[in-house]
Amino acid sequence: MFSLEIETLARLLIDEARQKSLRIVTAESCTGGLVSAAICAIPGASDVLDRGFVTYSNRAKQEMLGVPGDLIADLGAVSEPVARMMAEGALENSNAHLAVAITGIAGPDGGTRMKPVGTVHIATARTNHGLTHRAELFEFETRFEIQQAAAQAALEMLRERLSQS
């Protein structure tokens, strides 16, 4: 189901999180749970994965993660501030120490000149270590390729955050 690269990243993430006794939570929109599924595909995932939120609709982002509706209305769900709020909300609504949030436009429709298909915002939040954000423009042919690229980038960001003391 997942590429060897994604499987390897998920396996390394589990090992590293286990060594540091850290639990992970995901908040996913455009990836629809792919990040948590990649983690769960590896034996031992239960040692580190607390939960995953699939907040595809704007209402779900508000209700499950506490993202303000005004923020979504003003900037759109696909924006840096929304990704950051999703990561913070996931951390606050879980028993995890490290969160990743992904919001984007996987296509084939929904893109605009300002936010074309492939635009993805990924944020991580770690207890007592603040937030990080990354904006990407994945220029692939299919929705699935964009989703896979976003999931891979999210796993990479989680590993980067684990390496920070």
Side-chain angles (χ1 to χ4, degrees):
M1 179 170 161
F2 295 102
S3 69
L4 180 59
E5 195 163 15
I6 287 177
E7 259 185 53
T8 301
L9 284 167
R11 188 176 312 281
L12 291 169
L13 176 68
I14 289 169
D15 290 344
E16 293 159 0
R18 187 184 297 121
Q19 288 170 4
K20 293 189 176 211
S21 299
L22 295 177
R23 297 190 61 75
I24 297 167
V25 60
T26 64
E28 302 181 65
S29 186
C30 67
T31 50
L34 283 175
V35 175
S36 58
I39 295 169
C40 287
I42 307 300
S46 60
D47 292 343
V48 301
L49 185 64
D50 180 61
R51 67 191 72 185
F53 295 96
V54 177
T55 55
Y56 204 76
S57 72
N58 291 342
R59 186 175 191 139
K61 289 173 185 65
Q62 293 171 56
E63 292 175 357
M64 297 172 74
L65 303 174
V67 178
D70 291 349
L71 184 66
I72 295 171
D74 291 346
L75 301 174
V78 180
S79 63
E80 178 178 347
V82 169
R84 286 174 174 268
M85 290 291 299
M86 287 172 64
E88 287 179 336
L91 213 52
E92 290 171 12
N93 291 288
S94 70
N95 296 309
H97 309 95
L98 177 62
V100 67
I102 307 150
T103 182
I105 305 166
D109 302 318
T112 66
R113 207 167 44 88
M114 297 297 289
K115 294 180 187 179
V117 168
T119 300
V120 176
H121 289 272
I122 306 169
T124 61
R126 184 169 166 192
T127 305
N128 301 321
H129 287 77
L131 280 108
T132 62
H133 167 265
R134 191 157 110 192
E136 297 281 357
L137 178 58
F138 296 113
E139 298 185 57
F140 291 104
E141 293 289 319
T142 69
R143 176 180 182 82
F144 186 67
E145 289 173 311
I146 291 168
Q147 290 171 321
Q148 289 281 306
Q152 181 173 325
L155 289 166
E156 289 168 357
M157 282 185 72
L158 282 169
R159 288 199 59 225
E160 288 168 14
R161 292 307 301 273
L162 278 175
S163 69
Q164 297 169 350
S165 300

